[in-house]
Amino acid sequence: MCGIVGYIGPKDPVPILMDGLKRLEYRGYDSAGIAVFSGDKILTERAAGKIVNLEEKLRLNPITGSYGLGHTRWATHGRPTEENAHPHTDCRGRIVVVHNGIIENYLALKKELSAKGHAFKTETDTEVVAHLIEDFGGDLETAMSKAVKRLKGIFALAAADLDSPGRIVVARMGPPLVVGLGNGENFIASDIPAILNHTRDMVFLDDGDLAIVTRDEIRFTDFDGNAETKSPTRVTWDPIQAEKAGFKHFMQKEIYEQPRAVTDTLVGRISLDRNRVFLEELEIPEETLKSISRVVMVACGTSWHAALCGRYMIESLARVHAEVDYGSEFRYRDPRVDEKTLCVFISQSGETADTLAALREAKTRGAVTLAICNVVGSMITREADGTLYTHAGPEISVASTKAFTTQLTALNLFALYLGQVRGTMDPSTMAGPLKALTLLSGLVEKVLQQEDHIEEVARRYSHYRDFLYLGRGIQYPIALEGALKLKEISYIHAEGYPAGEMKHGPIALIDHEMPVLAVAPKDKVYEKLVSNLEEVKARDGRVIVVCNAEDEKIREVADDVFLIPECDPMLIPVLTVLPLQLFAYHIAVKRGADVDQPRNLAKSVTVE
């Protein structure tokens, strides 16, 4: 959710930077800052909270210069304070850096640089980059090229140095970066809307790109310094088209925003130094969470599938009994909840009528209530005792994608936090799951790189009329979610089923006209699910498998496979759902369906 803006040219950079940061506010943030270069000085102003706080500081202490950088931050490493806000500097205060993403090896780099005498002022991973550039020395372009090759993780970086005046150097590996071309001035941003008022000629950086930006020139290289040629794109979009960022549909764009959305949901909430989860924003006292006897999760549609996965997470990590109910059914069955029950209400919009009604019913019965929601200030967040925001950003397509994966991420965070509070998870047992969370967005990126293969498979299956989706354990809800995505955007009938229940009815439907899509990562029920698929093959069924690797057993039963990397068992659903989203998307496109606005459906169901 972090935002980057940069400007170099004849105008006062401060109004341009502030305007750009405001246009990135939709991404969410907890602090903001700017740094401008004025002669032989760097003038910096930062503030915790909203941009209005930064504006007030600039009103009281105006600054100006010839070029500069601005940033809005969601905390990743380090608390959301003014001290930890970007931009960050080196020991001498001559280099400034802004950064989106996560530097996974920052602790090792920090230790190495500290041993060389570098003094750190903040808790952030970003500050390591400024010191690393300083440590390499020389001109900024060369130092940046060397520094980025030492970094592990995902990052969009922009840096400027008093010793290399009149230039900004940017690098991308994961999060988006755009360079805007002007007349005697140039711009950088993490998203098009930040600079669209100033230029429509854009160059979109690819992973592994470096750009050296001056007033009159932009040069591109790879991380090794080899020159690259890039052609600008003329952006003629209206505001809605600009939001699509060049993707054909909002759904496709939102699928590709999932690495960033997952990261944004984690920012400021975990500490690898202390192996702890920080969720003070819940506003539910720890003593209350210690006293609960069970958790009841209530949701509708895709959020209900997330809740089903959350049940496994909570029972496994926090060792508390958990159950799941539909929002539309909860209040009509005289539910048995009381002050010892934590009721968790999951909703992307926070305005779903059935879920809201269930929340109010639970409150009348004395239950402790928690909302997991994507929309700040929505009704559910205002009425629940506490809220855990997912920070997926705006989701425009009716078919939910990034809202689902961020709900899974938030539920995993909450399960760890609940275990931490209740004493079932100590720092030693938290270390592995927390490390896995920091690596998750990178694994999501890897899965999405298979889109071309998934599109080809989708083309071959786009004419079928019925699908059966199978999963076991925590993957059963993913089978349900995959089937839902296919049916709602392509209008193909699809049914999700627990694989172990296949013989209790659905097996009668299987033949060469009914493909079976199975979610089969290497987990404790893998062998059993493969046995289910052997029964499908014996009945001439066509089989698609989401799996970790094409082992001998999978090769014997699968006609097609979608591969995912290995991952923490509680986080694998975030990966296994991705091929199912792309598969449904491309089938719908092949069939000519209205992907973003499927018939009869609304983004938020605000009436019962």
Side-chain angles (χ1 to χ4, degrees):
M1 275 193 171
C2 303
I4 291 174
V5 182
Y7 172 76
I8 186 165
K11 301 170 186 170
D12 182 356
V14 175
I16 295 171
L17 298 176
M18 294 300 293
D19 176 71
L21 293 181
K22 287 179 181 178
R23 294 178 185 278
L24 296 176
E25 278 193 293
Y26 71 91
R27 296 160 67 92
Y29 61 99
D30 54 41
S31 60
I34 63 170
V36 298
F37 284 68
S38 180
D40 62 351
K41 296 180 181 179
I42 301 175
L43 306 176
T44 302
E45 198 63 78
R46 300 178 296 178
K50 295 300 182 183
I51 288 175
V52 66
N53 298 337
L54 179 60
E55 286 182 312
E56 179 62 13
K57 295 186 79 170
L58 290 168
R59 185 184 70 80
L60 297 172
N61 182 32
I63 61 176
T64 189
S66 56
Y67 62 101
L69 297 169
H71 191 267
T72 52
R73 174 188 189 246
W74 264 114
T76 51
H77 300 90
R79 310 301 292 153
T81 63
E82 180 178 325
E83 180 184 60
N84 288 329
H86 297 210
H88 290 296
T89 64
D90 63 326
C91 292
R92 303 167 301 148
R94 298 185 67 80
I95 298 169
V96 294
V97 172
V98 294
H99 163 226
N100 293 352
I102 293 180
I103 307 301
E104 295 169 2
N105 61 334
Y106 87 101
L107 287 174
L109 291 171
K110 189 173 184 178
K111 184 177 180 180
E112 174 188 321
L113 291 165
S114 295
K116 292 182 175 182
H118 289 263
F120 291 84
K121 303 177 186 133
T122 76
E123 305 167 339
T124 68
D125 57 340
T126 304
E127 190 186 3
V128 168
V129 181
H131 288 274
L132 193 60
I133 293 171
E134 177 190 21
D135 195 68
F136 280 117
D139 69 275
L140 179 61
E141 177 183 346
T142 302
M144 182 77 119
S145 296
K146 293 177 179 177
V148 293
K149 288 187 282 189
R150 291 292 313 279
L151 304 179
K152 295 180 181 177
I154 60 170
F155 51 84
L157 290 167
D161 182 359
L162 278 173
D163 295 328
S164 296
R167 74 186 66 180
I168 299 170
V169 179
V170 300
R172 175 187 173 172
M173 181 55 72
L177 267 180
V178 179
V179 177
L181 286 66
N183 183 15
E185 60 183 2
N186 288 305
F187 308 81
I188 63 168
S190 53
D191 208 352
I192 292 170
I195 55 176
L196 195 55
N197 273 4
H198 304 284
T199 179
R200 292 183 174 271
D201 295 316
M202 311 276 187
V203 176
F204 300 88
L205 270 64
D206 296 317
D207 283 352
D209 282 348
L210 210 70
I212 302 89
V213 184
T214 68
R215 288 178 55 162
D216 301 311
E217 180 186 37
I218 301 173
R219 292 187 292 110
F220 300 95
T221 73
D222 62 20
F223 284 180
D224 290 321
N226 300 309
E228 294 182 336
T229 301
K230 290 185 173 292
S231 301
T233 299
R234 181 72 176 174
V235 178
T236 58
W237 307 328
D238 60 30
I240 293 296
Q241 289 173 321
E243 289 180 19
K244 285 186 182 178
F247 288 97
K248 187 175 182 180
H249 298 97
F250 282 113
M251 182 179 178
Q252 187 185 32
K253 174 179 182 280
E254 288 157 8
I255 287 172
Y256 274 88
E257 287 176 338
Q258 288 176 112
R260 185 182 72 193
V262 166
T263 296
D264 292 343
T265 299
L266 296 173
V267 294
R269 291 170 167 171
I270 60 177
S271 169
L272 294 183
D273 295 337
R274 299 171 60 187
N275 289 329
R276 289 183 62 83
V277 176
F278 296 95
L279 294 180
E280 292 91 343
E281 67 189 271
L282 290 186
E283 298 183 348
I284 298 175
E286 289 189 4
E287 289 303 316
T288 300
L289 293 177
K290 288 178 183 177
S291 69
I292 64 169
S293 59
R294 67 187 180 121
V295 177
V296 176
M297 287 176 282
V298 182
C300 301
T302 285
S303 296
W304 186 75
H305 299 154
L308 290 174
C309 290
R311 178 178 63 185
Y312 287 90
M313 298 173 189
I314 289 171
E315 292 192 339
S316 174
L317 299 172
R319 309 307 298 162
V320 182
H321 171 72
E323 56 192 80
V324 180
D325 209 341
Y326 282 110
S328 57
E329 298 292 331
F330 179 80
R331 68 189 177 113
Y332 295 113
R333 64 175 182 83
D334 192 20
R336 302 291 88 190
V337 299
D338 56 26
E339 67 279 357
K340 296 292 185 182
T341 307
L342 174 65
C343 288
V344 181
F345 300 88
I346 308 173
S347 169
Q348 188 282 138
S349 67
E351 305 290 346
T352 305
D354 293 321
T355 308
L356 262 173
L359 167 64
R360 291 162 182 160
E361 181 70 21
K363 289 180 72 69
T364 65
R365 294 169 184 260
V368 182
T369 57
L370 170 66
I372 295 180
C373 185
N374 187 42
V375 180
V376 175
S378 59
M379 188 67 72
I380 282 176
T381 68
R382 295 198 299 271
E383 296 194 13
D385 296 321
T387 298
L388 178 58
Y389 285 109
T390 53
H391 301 310
E395 188 177 65
I396 297 169
S397 179
V398 167
S400 182
T401 52
K402 62 178 179 172
F404 179 69
T405 49
T406 55
Q407 286 169 353
L408 294 178
T409 305
L411 282 163
N412 186 267
L413 265 180
F414 176 68
L416 289 167
Y417 179 72
L418 194 58
Q420 174 181 290
V421 168
R422 296 172 65 88
T424 61
M425 301 289 290
D426 60 28
S428 64
T429 54
M430 290 279 273
L434 291 182
K435 178 65 174 178
L437 277 169
T438 66
L439 300 176
L440 184 59
S441 62
L443 299 181
V444 172
E445 289 267 16
K446 289 182 180 179
V447 177
L448 295 179
Q449 290 171 4
Q450 300 179 64
E451 183 177 15
D452 290 346
H453 168 63
I454 295 170
E455 181 180 6
E456 172 58 25
V457 175
R459 182 188 61 78
R460 299 201 303 270
Y461 286 86
S462 61
H463 66 281
Y464 285 93
R465 296 297 307 161
D466 299 278
F467 278 78
L468 180 64
Y469 283 64
L470 298 177
R472 297 191 80 139
I474 200 171
Q475 299 303 330
Y476 162 54
I478 302 305
L480 292 173
E481 175 63 13
L484 175 63
K485 284 294 156 286
L486 185 66
K487 72 179 75 171
E488 69 182 341
I489 65 172
S490 73
Y491 316 138
I492 293 172
H493 170 253
E495 186 174 0
Y497 230 79
E501 293 294 302
M502 184 183 68
K503 288 182 286 188
H504 296 273
I507 197 169
L509 299 172
I510 293 173
D511 60 18
H512 66 282
E513 291 295 327
M514 186 174 185
V516 174
L517 201 157
V519 188
K522 276 285 183 70
D523 55 21
K524 60 185 179 182
V525 291
Y526 171 76
E527 300 288 345
K528 293 183 179 297
L529 200 146
V530 171
S531 295
N532 297 139
L533 297 181
E534 289 171 345
E535 294 171 330
V536 172
K537 290 299 291 184
R539 288 156 179 83
D540 296 326
R542 297 197 65 181
V543 176
I544 308 168
V545 184
V546 179
C547 57
N548 293 120
E550 291 185 79
D551 61 24
E552 185 175 339
K553 291 183 178 180
I554 289 295
R555 283 197 293 269
E556 289 176 356
V557 298
D559 295 286
D560 294 283
V561 297
F562 302 143
L563 298 179
I564 60 163
E566 293 186 2
C567 184
D568 182 280
M570 294 295 107
L571 295 176
I572 289 180
V574 177
L575 304 183
T576 53
V577 76
L578 302 172
L580 307 188
Q581 293 172 348
L582 286 168
F583 184 69
Y585 168 76
H586 283 293
I587 283 185
V589 171
K590 300 298 180 191
R591 294 169 64 88
D594 188 342
V595 173
D596 287 328
Q597 295 183 322
R599 65 191 182 205
N600 305 328
L601 294 176
K603 184 63 182 171
S604 179
V605 181
T606 55
V607 295
E608 284 195 74

